[in-house]
């Protein structure tokens, strides 16, 4: 094993590229434009770029893509983008029409037309509808695709913004309805209203006809917290105003606001996960074992309940009931309820299944939903005010479909199915395991030609953080631009993710982060051992926390890879908390202002480990100027440092809009996708000769 490469660790004062952290300064943007021109010349100048771009755009905007929708009061709502509607349409149709091959859609908002009228490229960022008619909404509009958005009140029936209605400027605040004349505001407008992470610290009630400045505070968190929030939660027609103080990503306090004005804390542990209300019961799960009042023990990956109404009236929770007992290699992906049933989406050895839970006088019972097996099954939409629920099904080789029920999962019908986007007849999906450095077995999937005899170029994808699982999913672009060429795709289920519940995540948390990197390297080595690929033919890809993963892989184990894609990444782990909203992730990584935590961050922080004499494979780093979740300074500084160290094969590209998730114009997304596949083939194709 090649030992990790280390170079002197610069202090902030010694950092020659600190100026690139200034998101919109002229020197920084001049550097970005120069880098973009160089990268475009290299990648868009390739003869294969244009056909790849056209294929990507065609698939992203195809008329026969599935219109994924959710139902409220007999209408199915959907956000849609195609070649004509580049910024998209928010639209709706009846349930009956949605189930047909050609639904008759009613446009609610045309964002291209709105943007042309107002001179701002508005990106739809969601809407909160008003119970019970759902004909008014608080609409969120992002001016650049970032997380910060403007809010306006909109009347769905008339298709117009409400004259003199609720409206708030661009911020990371959130809004929801209390009633027709009152909005719940989690405020992050002024400095004193924000946490150190830049998220809301104060919840207020804002009355119609008053200014935002007159909104009345009802709940506050600490500056050091992650955020606070507030929203109505429903149990049938009964409404509760629940308030949340998120201390960090994995702990918080939950409160219910009583009629007296008291905010009473729910009797739940700090690390509670899922919470749902159903027929007077509150259902929850935990991240670590919890000894509940009365002596019951609640375990991770299980689901539990107590009598919520009893607690409100009497102040004690009574007996804790088990809704779902924990099981080996089974974890909870999602919990949601219709009016009468609780649906639980499960991951069973990285494959999906769904059950529903009901409570009677004998306790809770579980019933499997009759969905396809051995794939990624999940809840697509659920109507908590009715009985409609839909499920998604897919795997690496099966196009996505939507399976709909109007009667709480009793009767199921496939109402939407995406056409095949690539020829999968000669492909196979397999699951293997690699043994990590500490002996832990790490599962991973390989999609490749069934008759593969020799090593081929392969793309290894990973994430490994924030309890996020990577599950099998159909990707037409990957199939068309990669698999159809005879190449392989690999998806690694490394620790830090959520594939096997909280313990799988906690095994790579904070000072244990190296486990995730070792897991990824172990999968790469196992691919070579099995003859699926070779180091020079193996590319790796990851975004956000996955960008940190591929960045670390680059500097720690460059000999294992032939190409490295680092997308919207964290890379300077000694300064990440200085780049908003980096402080929000300290529960995941640690606090670099504390010497003992800075020490473990310093052992792997990619930016500080770039070496002049290392033999790095080709690298492409991508980011967005409008990314207000992971600061573009990470990718900028890493590219500059690699190039300054003499690594001319380090490319950089920064889009000016789209935010962290690349939302907005599909043409921009198609261009980036095409460039990435050109980069991979340029870097790896020589290894096949």
């Amino acid at each position: 094993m090649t030992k990790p490469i280390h170079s002197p660790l610069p202090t902030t004062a010694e950092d020659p590229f600190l100026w690139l952290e200034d998101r919109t300064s002229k020197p920084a943007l001049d550097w970005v434009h120069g880098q973009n021109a160089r990268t475009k010349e290299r990648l868009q100048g390739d003869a294969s770029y244009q056909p790849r771009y056209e294929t990507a755009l065609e698939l992203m905007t195809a008329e026969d893509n599935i219109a994924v929708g959710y139902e409220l009061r007999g209408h199915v709502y959907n956000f849609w983008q195609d070649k004509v509607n580049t910024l998209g349409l928010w639209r709706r149709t009846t349930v009956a029409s949605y189930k047909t091959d050609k639904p008759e859609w009613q446009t609610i908002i045309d964002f291209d037309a709105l943007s042309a009228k107002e001179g701002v490229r508005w990106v739809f960022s969601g809407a909160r509808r008003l119970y019970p008619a759902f004909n008014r909404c608080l609409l969120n509009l992002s001016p650049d695709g970032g997380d910060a958005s403007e809010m306006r009140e909109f009347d769905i029936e008339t298709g117009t913004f409400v004259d003199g209605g609720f409206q708030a400027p661009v911020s990371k605040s959130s809004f929801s309805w209390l009633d027709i004349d009152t909005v719940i505001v989690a405020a992050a407008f002024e400095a004193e209203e924000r946490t150190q992470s830049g998220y809301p610290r104060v919840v207020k009630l804002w009355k119609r006809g008053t200014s935002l400045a007159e909104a009345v505070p009802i709940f506050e968190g600490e500056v050091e917290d992650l955020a606070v929030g507030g929203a109505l939660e429903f149990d049938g027609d009964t409404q509760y105003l629940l308030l949340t103080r998120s201390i960090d990503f994995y702990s918080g306090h939950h409160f219910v606001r009583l009629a007296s004005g008291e905010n009473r804390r729910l009797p739940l542990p700090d690390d509670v996960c899922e919470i749902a209300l159903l027929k007077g019961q509150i259902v929850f799960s935990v991240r670590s074992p919890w000894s509940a009042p009365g002596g019951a023990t609640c375990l991770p990956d299980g689901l539990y309940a107590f009598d919520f109404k009893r607690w409100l009236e009497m102040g004690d929770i009574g007996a804790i009931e088990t809704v779902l007992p924990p099981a080996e290699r089974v974890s909870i992906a999602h919990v949601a309820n219709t009016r009468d049933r609780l649906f639980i989406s499960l991951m069973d050895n990285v494959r999906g299944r769904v059950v529903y839970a009901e409570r009677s006088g004998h306790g809770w019972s579980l019933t499997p939903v009759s969905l396809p097996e051995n794939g990624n099954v999940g809840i697509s939409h659920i109507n908590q005010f009715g009985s409609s629920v839909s499920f998604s099904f897919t795997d690496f080789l099966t196009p996505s479909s939507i399976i709909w029920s109007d009667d709480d999962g009793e009767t199921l019908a496939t109402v939407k199915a995406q056409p095949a986007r690539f020829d999968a007849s000669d492909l196979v999906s397999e699951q293997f395991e690699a043994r990590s450095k500490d002996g832990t077995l790490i599962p991973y999937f390989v999609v490749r030609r069934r008759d593969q005899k020799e090593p081929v170029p392969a793309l290894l994808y990973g994430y490994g953080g924030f309890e996020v699982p990577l599950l099998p999913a159909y990707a037409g672009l990957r199939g068309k631009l990669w698999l159809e060429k005879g190449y392989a795709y690999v998806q690694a289920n490394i620790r830090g993710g959520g594939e096997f519940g909280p313990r799988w995540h906690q095994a790579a948390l904070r000072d244990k982060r190296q486990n995730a990197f070792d897991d990824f390297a172990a999968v790469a080595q196992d691919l070579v051992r099995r003859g699926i690929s070779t180091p020079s033919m193996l590319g790796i890809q990851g975004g956000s926390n996955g960008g940190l993963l591929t960045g670390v892989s680059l500097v720690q184990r460059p000999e294992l890879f032939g190409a490295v894609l680092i997308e919207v990444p964290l890379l300077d782990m000694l300064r990440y908390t200085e780049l908003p909203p980096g402080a929000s992730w300290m529960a995941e990584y640690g606090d670099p202002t504390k010497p003992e935590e800075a020490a473990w961050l310093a052992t792997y922080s990619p930016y500080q480990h770039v070496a002049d004499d290392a033999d790095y494979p080709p690298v492409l780093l991508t980011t967005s100027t409008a990314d207000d979740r992971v600061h573009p300074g990470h990718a900028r500084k890493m590219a500059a440092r690699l190039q300054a160290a003499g690594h001319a094969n380090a490319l950089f590209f920064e889009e000016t809009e789209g935010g962290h998730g690349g939302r907005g114009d599909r043409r921009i997304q198609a261009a980036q996708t095409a460039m990435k596949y050109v980069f991979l083939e340029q870097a790896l194709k020589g290894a096949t000769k």
Side-chain angles (χ1 to χ4, degrees), residues 17 223 241 281 385 429 440 558 643:
F17 302 111
V223 172
L241 174 50
Q281 299 283 305
F385 306 101
S429 172
T440 303
Q643 292 170 6

Side-chain angles (χ1 to χ4, degrees), residues 23 61 75 122 178 181 276 280 292 318 361 383 414 532 540 603-604 613:
R23 187 189 299 269
T61 60
H75 282 98
W122 292 117
L178 183 66
D181 290 318
N383 184 351
T414 299
I532 295 171
I540 57 174
T603 62
Y604 69 79
D613 58 352

Side-chain angles (χ1 to χ4, degrees), residues 303-371:
L303 204 59
Y304 304 91
F306 64 81
D307 191 324
F308 184 58
K309 285 190 174 180
R310 172 192 172 113
W311 172 75
L312 284 173
E313 294 169 3
M314 303 175 59
D316 73 274
I317 65 175
I320 293 280
E321 298 179 347
T322 298
V323 180
L324 174 81
E328 187 68 24
R329 290 239 162 186
V330 177
S331 60
I332 299 167
H334 184 50
V335 173
N337 60 280
T338 59
R339 189 179 183 89
D340 296 313
R341 282 182 177 171
L342 183 75
F343 287 82
I344 309 165
S345 177
L346 298 170
M347 292 175 289
D348 190 339
N349 199 26
V350 205
R351 290 176 170 84
R353 58 186 176 93
V354 179
V355 301
Y356 64 79
E358 294 177 295
R359 186 175 181 272
S360 66
H362 303 290
W364 292 85
S365 62
L366 297 173
T367 304
V369 180
S370 300
L371 295 166

Side-chain angles (χ1 to χ4, degrees), residues 1 98 132 150 154 191 197 266 322 377 382 423 548:
M1 173 179 173
Y98 179 75
E150 177 178 310
F154 187 83
S197 299
L266 301 183
T322 298
V377 178
I382 198 161
D423 183 0
L548 171 63

Side-chain angles (χ1 to χ4, degrees), residues 68-90:
V68 178
Y70 57 93
E71 186 263 335
L72 278 174
R73 288 185 65 86
H75 282 98
V76 177
Y77 292 80
N78 162 258
F79 178 69
W80 179 259
Q81 291 174 282
D82 56 29
K83 288 180 181 177
V84 175
N85 304 286
T86 58
L87 292 176
L89 304 172
W90 190 33

Side-chain angles (χ1 to χ4, degrees), residues 542-569:
S544 194
N545 174 77
L548 171 63
L549 170 68
T550 52
V552 172
S553 299
L554 170 71
V555 297
Q556 286 191 357
R557 302 302 305 275
E559 79 283 0
L560 296 182
F561 313 111
V564 178
L565 262 173
I566 303 174
E567 302 165 313
V568 290

